[in-house]
Amino acid sequence: MAHEHGELTVVGKPLPRRDALEKVTGKAQYPTDLELPGMLYAKILRSPYAHAKILSIDTSKAEAYPGVEAVITFKDIPDRRYGYGLNDQPMLARGKVRYVGEPVAAVAARDLDTAEEALELIDVKYEELPAVYDVEEAFKPDCPVVIHEDYANYELTFFPPAKMDVKRPNVANHFIIRRGDVEEGFKEADYVLEGKFRTPRQQHVPMEPHAAMARIENDGSVTVWASSQQPYLLINQISTLLDIPPSKIRVIVPYLGGGFGNKTQLKAEGICIALAQKTGKPVKCVFTREEVNCGTTSRGGTVSRIKMGVKKDGKVVAMECEILYSSGAYSGDAFVYSTRGPFQAAGTYKIPNLKLDSYLVYVNEPVSGAFRGFGNPELNWGIEIMMNRAADMIGMDRAKFRKINLLREGDEGGFGEIMHSLGTEECLEKTLRELSWEEELRKKEGIWRKGKGIAVGNKYSIAPSASYATVKVHVDGTIEVRISAIEIGQGSTTILAQIAAEYFGLPLEKIKMVVADTAVTPFDFGTVSSRVTYHVGNAILKACEGLKRQICELAARKMDVKPEDLDVKGRKIFSKHDPSKKIGIEDLFSPTLGMGHIGKYAEVGGELIQSATFFSKMGKMDPATNQLLNKHEKSCSFWIEIANGAIVDVDTETGEVKVRKFVNACDVGRAINPMLVEGQLDGGSVMGIGLGLWEEMIFKDGRIMNSNFIDYKLPRASDLPAVKDTVSIIVETPHREGPYGAKGVGEATMICAPAAIADAIHDATGVWITELPMTSEKLYYLLHKKA
Amino acid sequence: MAHEHGELTVVGKPLPRRDALEKVTGKAQYPTDLELPGMLYAKILRSPYAHAKILSIDTSKAEAYPGVEAVITFKDIPDRRYGYGLNDQPMLARGKVRYVGEPVAAVAARDLDTAEEALELIDVKYEELPAVYDVEEAFKPDCPVVIHEDYANYELTFFPPAKMDVKRPNVANHFIIRRGDVEEGFKEADYVLEGKFRTPRQQHVPMEPHAAMARIENDGSVTVWASSQQPYLLINQISTLLDIPPSKIRVIVPYLGGGFGNKTQLKAEGICIALAQKTGKPVKCVFTREEVNCGTTSRGGTVSRIKMGVKKDGKVVAMECEILYSSGAYSGDAFVYSTRGPFQAAGTYKIPNLKLDSYLVYVNEPVSGAFRGFGNPELNWGIEIMMNRAADMIGMDRAKFRKINLLREGDEGGFGEIMHSLGTEECLEKTLRELSWEEELRKKEGIWRKGKGIAVGNKYSIAPSASYATVKVHVDGTIEVRISAIEIGQGSTTILAQIAAEYFGLPLEKIKMVVADTAVTPFDFGTVSSRVTYHVGNAILKACEGLKRQICELAARKMDVKPEDLDVKGRKIFSKHDPSKKIGIEDLFSPTLGMGHIGKYAEVGGELIQSATFFSKMGKMDPATNQLLNKHEKSCSFWIEIANGAIVDVDTETGEVKVRKFVNACDVGRAINPMLVEGQLDGGSVMGIGLGLWEEMIFKDGRIMNSNFIDYKLPRASDLPAVKDTVSIIVETPHREGPYGAKGVGEATMICAPAAIADAIHDATGVWITELPMTSEKLYYLLHKKA
């Protein structure tokens, strides 16, 4: 949506968060804080095996245990499966278990201790089956372990439908890009290089674990309080699993204590509902940290192979990628990210010949799923190392090499679409300046070496997707905005209020935000894919435009002028020709009999209320190539471009790496609230550095070995560069359809960090690490092997 | 709104109430049932004096009492007053108290006992003032007691503004009708007769006492659960009293255990809010039955004088009425009912010369307020006795005499408007048939005498007033209706669901009703004045029409036909020309990426949702006469016509009256649900008989003497005619603007009962009682005085 906007007074300002006071005073309510009178506490019995047949479940002892009000197993619920594209996952294991941590039964008891004790009284008999954990093993056509014998009967709900003609027993999804002719490209190239890359499982580690509470209403409908980034998706999954019509499911999402993609799919909500239905009482379930780690999703590991053909003049002429995404035991939202992670290969460079195959592969591990970046950091990791290796090979400066190949405004991207709002070069330039790219670093000798590295990348935002907004004028001139965007810590409620405030020329406190209660707030695709500012912001603007029309029509009648001659600013409606001719918003409301000046209705229109949808369409693609049939259509809603830079010190004796400076530059279109955008960039840097250097979930026989924060190493402040050396740079290339030009930011900020650090390590030491995380152990091994 | 409707399948059917199961199983939640974690209990300290100065209030002992969390007096709240037309009432007494039971202070404590004990620790010093209780005394220009010295400074919020040029110190309001010239009319008459009549205070006695609960949200906004028939009025009053912007007040109304007008104005809500603000905790207050009697409103007593001129041929040529409504100590909604009770004189008979003066008079008694009939039974009582006396005087059958004078379709009513949908004659005819009017009754001699009586009347429904409705299609084809009409026991939620179901040709269970939460449900004038079926029903139909347009436009695009060629029935959209060409409602929704067949949005339109207002305008009137300037405009939304008949046995020795048969016939336009309309008629008969024979709140020096159900005599089943002899007759004269022709019913049903019984007593004994209730004592006195 295009917006003519003069001087902005609210948008673009680093206004304080609306939720700041509530949060710092501890008053804010999170799902874990919720209480209802008479509520029961639920605990989940999880599989101890990575792959096993369930022979029998005996719940009688648990049911008889004092304080236990209900026990459920698969027998208590419909035989349904859920997913996000492919319905392959049961809510409670049925027939067999496929990972350590899979829910098998659940208990509702009067207190938490009783619920925990009762779990031990449930007698499940298993017959262990051979399992497969390695994604390359599982990918083999002749893999002896078949995790989903029934795959062919699962319901595929993905839109547009995925293409699945792969004859490998554990492949859950296959996505392709075919552009040009890579074989011809490689022939044309002066150099062809190949690489193989690995990325690990990473946990989101939201500060707040997952919680859910369910209550059955008197009409049989269900109210669920959920840790959900996608309340309307949750309605879908609950409805699918428990056979409850969507109109009878209400999802309320309070503040969330972080998500990063970990709170997209159904977690404990369905179990709470089934237990509430059985007991007639509200049921609450809060995951332990161990359950967050083994019983929710994480970033799945990948193995990728990349082949690149370059010419001496610096042009990349061909790229072939194969990436295996580890799905864990079910497809979860990995189904979609195995089709969207590959977008990384399509949105940064102008590569005429591109061939990509992305596979989602089942293994006997916990389910993987959405995680900031949604499959893109994994592919960026390999591509950017290849870019650096290629630059070295032709003896060209790595930055210059990238600039030759960057997609620019009007170019065709990897899906054949005309690209727009690409600030990659500006991001890169600003990053280089921060790194003093031209200056040689000292300390290229001795034990401690220094290096500089860069990486660029992109994050698409998903299409098709829709957001809906309702705006209402209150009699006191307050504008109420009803949306289902989730305040997950990113500040969306503040940013979206700024958009409405800017539109009406009101101070922020005159905007009332009503968020995320599906009984009140309208459809939204969800707080995913860095899409909220753009989609929900646009829906709000469209609704505001309609509301302004209503206001002007009503005012025109009172003022005896034409509606088109009027404008609204602050709480005044005035003639554009003669601004002294004006009335107040409150004058639109007439006193109702006996209700005085406040209990009023807006004349004629009743309430002044307006709704609107914003819908991002995905263009039709040729299924044989995934090239757009019309290059003026879009493969995604918008592209966010990013450049990262790192300066590292490496101890060549021990392999220890210290990031001394980190630069994160991102083209966000327009920063509606620069303070909050900087927060995203700072946070993304930390998360990206963590993925680069330390974070990895370690499994043995399908069992997580480091489910605590001593063994799972999250970056601490002392591990990171100083605050002054963690540089976040906002680049603004306004998007013609964005609200006030804004695109998104959240996910892009962690795409390139590992590759930039790898480049800096190589610069310091001359070795390439191709497996994440780049631990001291790995570097030590490589350095000493090299020596 | 006119509706072409063929065969009706849902409307007109006696379908079971939607809330039946929930209520009979005890699951339904009423305000008294509500609980919140950590809530406090409030109690109110009330004035023991009818009129006194407050010299001092010392709350220190109560505040120090263990378990007490806050005490409030007038010092803790803004110096504001509220009302319903005239803001004369403080929330907590300020300066003086004006009735026994007036709130002076309130306590919030951890339990109810502590709160009650703390009340006794509040030390209030009073200086008693002379008081006035009798409405005629208070009405005198030289009444020495002035209840509101500050009257002139009160804010008048009534619309249209009332005319107040009366020089009497305790008159709160004055309403007039001037039509023709009564002096000329009396000259023209063959007979002129006069009468003076009294009616008592009557309590509504809702089964559930009043309750309120308030919680302050983190943003300082307020959520109130209220026993309210008018949630949007409550927002107004809370905002006025406590200086909270309306956009920060949310009112939720659960099921109410009856109201009958007693739950219109603010009761404990403001006190709960002020205590919640002071303590930061949720506060709940439940009234005792004694508090319902002295601390809420009741039907105010009246004294009226009526002068009637009739001609020998049976024509009433002039009527002059003066009625004094006792307001109690504040105007409450008596302010409006003193302007709307007089409508009784305007809506039944064609009287060319009419003069009416209605006064609202302050006395030192609890506040009077809305009560089923809203001031009309009081005036009907006098007018109908006068009609019978006039018929006797000219020796004409009472029924025939009425028929000569009844307003008929197209006649001009008392405000000069063209009347429509008047089934009075049909109501009367059907009543006469039930009474076998032509047949002489035996037992005109001896101790036990028999008599037959009739009365007719009307109830207007208030204008101006507005209702707003929002309707939404769910992906499962369910239609959701959001309205702020209150399910107060009358069955409105069922009736309004029938209207939406009929419109879309759906079974009732496919309509989801969302009611009375101002955060979700839109503006409504309230559940008062028998207005809900007509106003809210019309708003729903208007919204449904818009929704159908949206559906057909969307479907037309998919089906490649014109929108106007399509119709919607059930869950199908089909071509009117070729009904085999059809799609399902669910086909309007497209799957969203990964959300499958349920988590969908409607294409283009986003959500399928539509809102509409229905607004009843009141025509402009000449303020000097209250005659409509345009006789095609309206004085009210619609008129409901009513006829009652009674057969009584009277014990002439003791004055005991037994109603043997009671007939209640009412023209409701169209009975959307005849079972529920009959329920209204049956209930109205009982309430009307109670007012006629027994019910009266007895005061001594402003203090209620019969605040219990032994001394305040409500009719029991054994006091009433047998069920088979309590005859409810539905008459249907469709209203051209009513939803499916419907008007209203609730209040009309109790207008005429006292007069019909009085007529029957006169028929049996030859004496006229002119004071309600017609107790044995009064009749004994009259019979023996006569003898």
Side-chain angles (χ1 to χ4, degrees), chain A residues 512, chain B residues 213-225 234-235 238-239 242-252 269-270 272-274 276-277 517-519:
Chain A
K512 175 178 175 178
Chain B
M213 183 159 66
R215 182 175 65 196
I216 311 302
E217 307 299 343
N218 285 341
D219 64 353
S221 70
V222 173
T223 305
V224 198
W225 290 261
L234 201 57
I235 290 179
I238 292 167
S239 175
L242 296 172
D243 205 13
I244 303 169
S247 60
K248 295 207 155 193
I249 304 166
R250 173 185 188 177
V251 177
I252 301 171
E269 295 85 0
C272 288
I273 293 168
Q277 285 177 325
D517 172 352
T518 63

Coordinates of all heavy atoms in Angstrom, one line a residue, chain A residues 512, chain B residues 213-225 234-235 238-239 242-252 269-270 272-274 276-277 517-519:
Chain A
K512 N -5.8 2.9 21.9 CA -6.0 1.8 22.7 C -5.8 0.5 21.9 O -6.4 0.3 20.9 CB -7.4 1.8 23.3 CG -7.8 0.6 24.1 CD -9.2 0.8 24.7 CE -9.7 -0.5 25.4 NZ -11.0 -0.3 26.0
Chain B
M213 N -18.5 -6.7 40.6 CA -17.1 -7.0 40.9 C -16.2 -6.1 40.0 O -16.6 -5.9 38.8 CB -16.8 -8.5 40.6 CG -15.4 -8.9 41.0 SD -15.2 -10.6 41.2 CE -15.5 -11.2 39.6
A214 N -15.2 -5.6 40.5 CA -14.3 -4.7 39.7 C -12.9 -5.1 39.8 O -12.4 -5.5 40.8 CB -14.5 -3.2 40.1
R215 N -12.2 -4.9 38.7 CA -10.7 -5.2 38.7 C -10.1 -4.1 37.9 O -10.5 -3.7 36.8 CB -10.5 -6.6 38.0 CG -9.0 -7.0 37.9 CD -8.8 -8.3 37.3 NE -9.1 -8.3 35.9 CZ -9.4 -9.4 35.2 NH1 -9.3 -10.6 35.8 NH2 -9.7 -9.4 34.0
I216 N -8.9 -3.6 38.4 CA -8.2 -2.6 37.7 C -7.1 -3.3 36.9 O -6.3 -4.1 37.4 CB -7.5 -1.6 38.7 CG1 -8.5 -1.1 39.8 CG2 -6.9 -0.4 38.0 CD1 -9.7 -0.4 39.2
E217 N -7.1 -3.0 35.6 CA -6.1 -3.7 34.8 C -4.8 -2.9 34.8 O -4.7 -1.8 35.4 CB -6.6 -3.7 33.3 CG -8.0 -4.3 33.2 CD -8.1 -5.8 33.6 OE1 -7.1 -6.4 33.8 OE2 -9.2 -6.2 33.9
N218 N -3.7 -3.5 34.3 CA -2.4 -2.9 34.4 C -2.3 -1.5 33.7 O -1.4 -0.7 34.1 CB -1.4 -3.9 33.8 CG -1.1 -5.0 34.7 OD1 -1.4 -5.0 35.9 ND2 -0.5 -6.1 34.2
D219 N -3.1 -1.3 32.7 CA -3.0 0.0 32.1 C -4.0 1.0 32.8 O -4.2 2.1 32.3 CB -3.4 -0.1 30.6 CG -4.8 -0.5 30.4 OD1 -5.5 -0.9 31.4 OD2 -5.3 -0.5 29.2
G220 N -4.5 0.7 33.9 CA -5.3 1.6 34.7 C -6.8 1.5 34.3 O -7.6 2.1 34.9
S221 N -7.1 0.8 33.2 CA -8.5 0.6 32.8 C -9.2 -0.3 33.8 O -8.6 -1.0 34.6 CB -8.6 0.1 31.4 OG -8.2 -1.2 31.3
V222 N -10.5 -0.3 33.7 CA -11.4 -0.9 34.7 C -12.2 -2.0 34.0 O -12.8 -1.7 33.0 CB -12.3 0.1 35.3 CG1 -13.3 -0.5 36.2 CG2 -11.5 1.2 36.0
T223 N -12.3 -3.2 34.6 CA -13.2 -4.2 34.1 C -14.2 -4.4 35.3 O -13.9 -4.6 36.4 CB -12.5 -5.5 33.8 OG1 -11.5 -5.3 32.9 CG2 -13.5 -6.6 33.3
V224 N -15.5 -4.3 34.9 CA -16.6 -4.4 35.9 C -17.5 -5.5 35.4 O -18.0 -5.5 34.3 CB -17.4 -3.1 36.0 CG1 -18.2 -3.2 37.3 CG2 -16.6 -1.9 35.9
W225 N -17.8 -6.5 36.3 CA -18.9 -7.4 36.1 C -20.1 -6.9 36.9 O -20.0 -6.6 38.1 CB -18.5 -8.8 36.7 CG -17.4 -9.5 35.9 CD1 -17.5 -10.4 34.9 CD2 -15.9 -9.2 36.0 NE1 -16.3 -10.8 34.4 CE2 -15.3 -10.1 35.0 CE3 -15.1 -8.4 36.7 CZ2 -13.9 -10.1 34.8 CZ3 -13.8 -8.4 36.5 CH2 -13.2 -9.3 35.6
L234 N -24.0 2.3 32.1 CA -23.2 2.1 33.3 C -21.8 2.7 33.0 O -21.2 3.4 33.8 CB -23.0 0.6 33.6 CG -22.6 0.2 35.0 CD1 -23.5 0.8 36.0 CD2 -22.5 -1.3 35.1
I235 N -21.3 2.5 31.8 CA -20.0 3.2 31.4 C -20.1 4.7 31.6 O -19.2 5.3 32.1 CB -19.7 2.8 29.9 CG1 -19.3 1.3 29.8 CG2 -18.5 3.7 29.4 CD1 -18.9 0.9 28.4
I238 N -20.2 5.5 35.4 CA -18.9 5.3 36.0 C -17.9 6.4 35.6 O -17.2 7.0 36.4 CB -18.4 3.9 35.7 CG1 -19.2 2.8 36.3 CG2 -16.9 3.8 36.1 CD1 -18.9 1.4 35.8
S239 N -18.0 6.7 34.3 CA -17.1 7.7 33.8 C -17.4 9.1 34.4 O -16.5 9.8 34.8 CB -17.3 7.8 32.3 OG -16.6 8.8 31.7
L242 N -16.4 8.8 38.4 CA -15.0 8.5 38.8 C -14.0 9.1 37.9 O -12.8 8.8 38.1 CB -14.8 7.0 39.0 CG -15.7 6.4 40.2 CD1 -15.6 4.9 40.1 CD2 -15.3 7.0 41.5
D243 N -14.4 9.9 36.9 CA -13.5 10.6 36.0 C -12.6 9.6 35.3 O -11.4 9.8 35.2 CB -12.7 11.6 36.8 CG -12.2 12.7 35.9 OD1 -12.7 12.8 34.8 OD2 -11.3 13.4 36.4
I244 N -13.2 8.5 34.8 CA -12.4 7.5 34.0 C -12.9 7.6 32.6 O -14.1 7.6 32.4 CB -12.7 6.1 34.5 CG1 -12.3 6.0 36.0 CG2 -11.9 5.0 33.7 CD1 -12.7 4.7 36.7
P245 N -12.0 7.8 31.6 CA -12.6 7.9 30.2 C -13.3 6.6 29.8 O -12.9 5.5 30.2 CB -11.3 8.0 29.3 CG -10.2 8.3 30.3 CD -10.6 7.8 31.6
P246 N -14.4 6.8 29.1 CA -15.2 5.6 28.7 C -14.4 4.6 28.0 O -14.7 3.4 28.1 CB -16.3 6.2 27.7 CG -16.3 7.7 27.9 CD -15.0 8.1 28.6
S247 N -13.4 4.9 27.2 CA -12.6 3.9 26.5 C -11.8 3.1 27.5 O -11.2 2.1 27.1 CB -11.6 4.6 25.5 OG -10.8 5.5 26.2
K248 N -11.8 3.5 28.8 CA -11.0 2.6 29.7 C -12.0 1.9 30.7 O -11.6 1.4 31.8 CB -10.1 3.5 30.6 CG -9.0 4.1 29.7 CD -7.8 4.5 30.5 CE -6.5 4.5 29.6 NZ -5.3 4.4 30.4
I249 N -13.2 1.8 30.3 CA -14.2 1.0 31.1 C -14.8 -0.1 30.3 O -15.3 0.1 29.3 CB -15.3 2.0 31.6 CG1 -14.7 3.2 32.4 CG2 -16.3 1.2 32.5 CD1 -15.7 4.3 32.6
R250 N -14.7 -1.3 30.9 CA -15.2 -2.5 30.2 C -16.3 -3.0 31.2 O -16.0 -3.3 32.3 CB -14.1 -3.5 30.0 CG -14.7 -4.8 29.5 CD -13.5 -5.8 29.4 NE -13.9 -7.1 28.7 CZ -13.1 -8.1 28.4 NH1 -11.8 -8.0 28.7 NH2 -13.5 -9.2 27.8
V251 N -17.5 -3.2 30.7 CA -18.6 -3.8 31.5 C -18.9 -5.1 30.9 O -19.2 -5.3 29.7 CB -19.8 -2.9 31.5 CG1 -20.9 -3.5 32.3 CG2 -19.4 -1.5 32.1
I252 N -18.9 -6.1 31.8 CA -19.3 -7.5 31.4 C -20.6 -7.9 32.2 O -20.6 -7.7 33.4 CB -18.2 -8.5 31.7 CG1 -17.0 -8.1 30.9 CG2 -18.7 -9.9 31.3 CD1 -15.7 -9.0 31.3
E269 N -21.3 -0.9 41.5 CA -20.2 -0.9 40.6 C -19.1 0.1 40.9 O -17.9 -0.1 41.0 CB -20.6 -0.8 39.2 CG -21.5 -1.9 38.7 CD -23.0 -1.8 39.0 OE1 -23.4 -0.8 39.6 OE2 -23.8 -2.7 38.6
G270 N -19.6 1.4 41.1 CA -18.7 2.5 41.4 C -17.9 2.3 42.7 O -16.7 2.6 42.7
C272 N -17.2 -0.6 44.1 CA -16.2 -1.7 43.9 C -15.0 -1.1 43.2 O -13.8 -1.4 43.5 CB -16.8 -2.8 43.1 SG -18.0 -3.8 44.0
I273 N -15.2 -0.2 42.2 CA -14.1 0.3 41.4 C -13.2 1.2 42.3 O -12.0 1.0 42.3 CB -14.6 1.1 40.2 CG1 -15.3 0.2 39.2 CG2 -13.4 1.9 39.5 CD1 -16.0 1.0 38.1
A274 N -13.9 2.1 43.1 CA -13.1 3.0 43.9 C -12.3 2.2 44.9 O -11.1 2.5 45.2 CB -14.0 3.9 44.6
A276 N -11.3 -1.0 44.5 CA -10.2 -1.7 43.7 C -9.1 -0.8 43.4 O -7.9 -1.2 43.4 CB -10.9 -2.3 42.5
Q277 N -9.4 0.5 43.1 CA -8.4 1.4 42.8 C -7.5 1.7 44.0 O -6.3 1.8 43.9 CB -9.0 2.8 42.3 CG -9.5 2.7 40.9 CD -10.1 4.0 40.4 OE1 -10.8 4.7 41.2 NE2 -10.0 4.3 39.1
D517 N -20.6 -7.8 26.6 CA -19.2 -7.5 27.1 C -18.8 -6.4 26.3 O -18.5 -6.5 25.1 CB -18.3 -8.8 26.9 CG -16.9 -8.5 27.2 OD1 -16.5 -7.3 27.5 OD2 -16.1 -9.4 27.2
T518 N -18.7 -5.2 26.9 CA -18.6 -4.0 26.0 C -17.2 -3.9 25.3 O -17.0 -3.1 24.5 CB -18.8 -2.7 26.8 OG1 -17.8 -2.6 27.9 CG2 -20.1 -2.6 27.4
A519 N -16.3 -4.8 25.7 CA -15.0 -4.9 25.0 C -15.2 -5.6 23.6 O -14.4 -5.5 22.8 CB -14.0 -5.6 25.8

